Amino acid sequence: MVLSALFVAPAASADIPPVDEVVTSSNVKHLANVPKQGPFAGPTAFGTDIAFTGKYAISGNYLGFTIYDISKPSAPKITSMVSCVGSQNDVSVAADGKLLFLSTDSSRSDDSCQSTAKPVSDPTAWEGIKIFDISDKANPRYIKSVRTQCGSHTHTLVPGKRGSMYIYVSSYILPTWLVGTPNQGPNCQAPFDKISIVKVPLKAPTTAAVVATPVLFPDGGNPGNPGRPDNPVPGDDTWVPTTGCHDITAYPDKGIAAGACMGDGALFDIRNPEKPKVITTVRDTKNFAFWHSATFNQRANKVVFTDELGGGSAATCNAAVGPNKGANAIYDIVGKGDKRKLRFRSYYKISRANADTENCVAHNGSLIPVKGKDIMVQSWYQGGISVWDFTNSRKPKEIGFFERGPLPPGFALGGTWSAYYYNGYIFSSDIQKGLDVVDVRDPRTDKGKKVRLRELNTQTQPDYFDRH
């Protein structure tokens, strides 16, 4: 997510639910909600990403993270809350639920959980990855930090050999012509066409360290999208330059990863985790403004890329923006090995109109594991949750949905940040409302309920049907 402004014409009011009212398709049921609590209850304590281990869901928040016991999905309970300020606080888990990794993408006075904000221009400012021992879910312990260049907006786990884990740290620099204020400093310099790779020995996590900072988009070979700095007009076909990646999704069993890298979509070879290699890139300078995230299908012959038009803070789910911007783009992967290419097939965007006060755009989701089908659940901020089928790459279609009506006045940002399918249910982290649990009952998705996982970080996609 990147906060920015995008002004569009108001949406039609017909069929927009009343304030805060929950509406669903007939095949979707809202099972539970656990509101944000304590220090996370305020309107600027944004709920963020989710990771899963065993009977627990762990949800990030700009002010820390919460561990929920989801052994009874209809009645989840808070096991513990950890205050640790530092946006976005995206989370992932490893080592059979013993370790938690937390992204910090804001300049802080130090690496502690009590840090204060510092200008990015200050050479002593800190941002990067924090590591917690969560063996005792009721009492997580902060054990290690790793400073990374330009912080950690998001991160992705890639298994290594001999009991090690790699963290691909995604971060980026937005140009002054786009955001209006400088966001570079001595620890964050342009050009920034790279990622940081942290190696974590799982039995000795306090020795974690950066082992590589590969440049993925050099000036020659695979140059990144330069963007369009010619006085862009919000809402048109403006796109941002490639300066690192916003999000990377790895599929370790296939040896590949997909990167949503600001101005480009990319496919990587990650068979050597310390030396990811760009196989191919793709651009959409007509409809995509901000390549945000990526999801493979089970067979890894398709990728769904998302466009976070407006940075997550804008109302783009309306007739003024249309069906092809702020949407998903479905690409087939054609060819083999280093000759693989990404071929565009279609866009998918929710068709329900949202109010002009509702931030709504394509955001985080995951596969629903149905063998032989490509079905996904996905967040759309205040557009809610969409369950949709892209088995036919050229004709995606919605299966079901969950959403709330607009927030009451006074909330600048809301809606579901992440919606993921885990062990038979959809779990959603809502920016303002906390944790939602949703059940989809449909012949097209019901087989997914039989697939059980011990752990899930959606940016590290599992092979659901051939697990080792």
Side-chain angles (χ1 to χ4, degrees):
M1 176 184 187
V2 54
L3 297 179
S4 61
L6 178 67
F7 299 99
V8 296
S13 60
D15 300 324
I16 295 174
V19 170
D20 276 348
E21 181 174 311
V22 170
V23 293
T24 69
S25 56
S26 60
N27 56 355
V28 169
K29 183 178 181 181
H30 187 208
L31 294 183
N33 171 261
V34 182
K36 296 190 303 180
Q37 299 178 25
F40 302 165
T44 59
F46 301 151
T48 61
D49 213 4
I50 317 175
F52 303 89
T53 181
K55 66 176 185 177
Y56 298 99
I58 305 169
S59 179
N61 184 288
Y62 269 54
L63 299 184
F65 63 90
T66 302
I67 300 179
Y68 298 91
D69 182 333
I70 56 171
S71 54
K72 186 177 181 181
S74 61
K77 298 178 180 179
I78 293 177
T79 299
S80 60
M81 298 173 63
V82 175
S83 294
C84 194
V85 65
S87 64
Q88 297 180 148
N89 279 342
D90 281 5
V91 294
S92 63
V93 290
D96 291 327
K98 295 182 178 68
L99 296 177
L100 178 139
F101 306 105
L102 194 69
S103 279
T104 300
D105 189 32
S106 60
S107 297
R108 313 302 303 173
S109 57
D110 53 54
D111 64 351
S112 74
C113 284
Q114 297 77 39
S115 66
T116 56
K118 262 197 173 183
V120 70
S121 58
D122 189 329
T124 67
W126 184 91
E127 48 188 335
I129 292 286
K130 298 184 178 87
I131 304 175
F132 288 79
D133 182 330
I134 59 167
S135 301
D136 180 354
K137 300 297 184 292
N139 295 287
R141 294 187 302 112
Y142 180 20
I143 60 172
K144 172 71 175 178
S145 71
V146 181
R147 187 178 193 170
T148 59
Q149 294 180 46
C150 295
S152 174
H153 193 69
T154 63
H155 67 266
T156 305
L157 301 188
V158 178
K161 295 180 180 179
R162 293 182 291 276
S164 64
M165 183 71 71
Y166 291 96
I167 307 174
Y168 284 11
V169 177
S170 295
S171 48
Y172 56 85
I173 299 173
L174 288 175
T176 302
W177 59 260
L178 183 67
V179 296
T181 56
N183 61 351
Q184 298 183 42
N187 302 312
C188 188
Q189 290 284 316
F192 192 81
D193 294 331
K194 56 188 173 183
I195 62 173
S196 296
I197 300 178
V198 177
K199 186 175 182 179
V200 183
L202 295 179
K203 292 186 177 180
T206 57
T207 64
V210 175
V211 294
T213 54
V215 175
L216 302 176
F217 304 99
D219 291 339
N222 294 291
N225 189 335
R228 202 188 78 177
D230 54 334
N231 193 26
V233 178
D236 70 1
D237 59 357
T238 299
W239 62 94
V240 300
T242 298
T243 57
C245 293
H246 180 279
D247 212 322
I248 294 173
T249 294
Y251 199 157
D253 285 346
K254 307 293 185 182
I256 57 175
C261 301
M262 318 294 288
D264 294 88
L267 188 66
F268 304 116
D269 181 333
I270 60 167
R271 288 175 295 177
N272 182 342
E274 292 188 18
K275 296 181 178 180
K277 180 176 67 174
V278 176
I279 299 172
T280 190
T281 61
V282 66
R283 289 177 191 165
D284 181 347
T285 55
K286 181 179 180 181
N287 288 313
F288 259 46
F290 188 94
W291 296 70
H292 175 276
S293 53
T295 302
F296 289 102
N297 68 335
Q298 167 67 20
R299 293 176 59 196
N301 59 4
K302 300 176 189 176
V303 183
V304 175
F305 288 105
T306 68
D307 171 27
E308 196 183 38
L309 174 66
S313 62
T316 76
C317 297
N318 51 37
V321 174
N324 297 335
K325 295 182 179 182
N328 297 323
I330 304 162
Y331 286 80
D332 284 353
I333 302 173
V334 300
K336 296 181 179 180
D338 289 346
K339 294 184 178 180
R340 283 173 282 189
K341 299 293 182 184
L342 293 163
R343 296 284 185 247
F344 173 76
R345 296 301 184 232
S346 65
Y347 297 108
Y348 171 77
K349 189 174 183 180
I350 59 173
S351 59
R352 293 174 299 286
N354 274 223
D356 61 316
T357 60
E358 292 184 281
N359 56 299
C360 176
V361 76
H363 213 235
N364 296 340
S366 74
L367 292 183
I368 295 180
V370 178
K371 205 163 192 176
K373 298 290 184 180
D374 300 325
I375 301 175
M376 188 173 172
V377 57
Q378 185 178 9
S379 285
W380 290 79
Y381 288 109
Q382 288 196 70
I385 297 169
S386 178
V387 179
W388 62 287
D389 187 323
F390 62 103
T391 306
N392 184 337
S393 301
R394 290 179 170 84
K395 294 182 178 180
K397 58 186 178 182
E398 187 166 75
I399 290 174
F401 71 89
F402 162 95
E403 72 167 309
R404 285 186 172 91
L407 286 165
F411 289 88
L413 195 73
T416 171
W417 180 290
S418 299
Y420 300 140
Y421 192 88
Y422 179 69
N423 291 350
Y425 297 91
I426 297 167
F427 295 88
S428 166
S429 172
D430 189 285
I431 293 169
Q432 300 295 350
K433 302 297 184 181
L435 181 74
D436 285 304
V437 186
V438 174
D439 190 16
V440 55
R441 296 275 180 173
D442 189 283
R444 292 165 289 187
T445 61
D446 285 347
K447 290 182 180 179
K449 291 183 175 294
K450 298 178 181 180
V451 178
R452 315 300 288 183
L453 301 178
R454 293 171 58 187
E455 208 157 79
L456 178 64
N457 302 295
T458 57
Q459 287 78 20
T460 307
Q461 281 193 222
D463 185 331
Y464 287 97
F465 304 109
D466 188 21
R467 299 194 299 279
H468 304 293

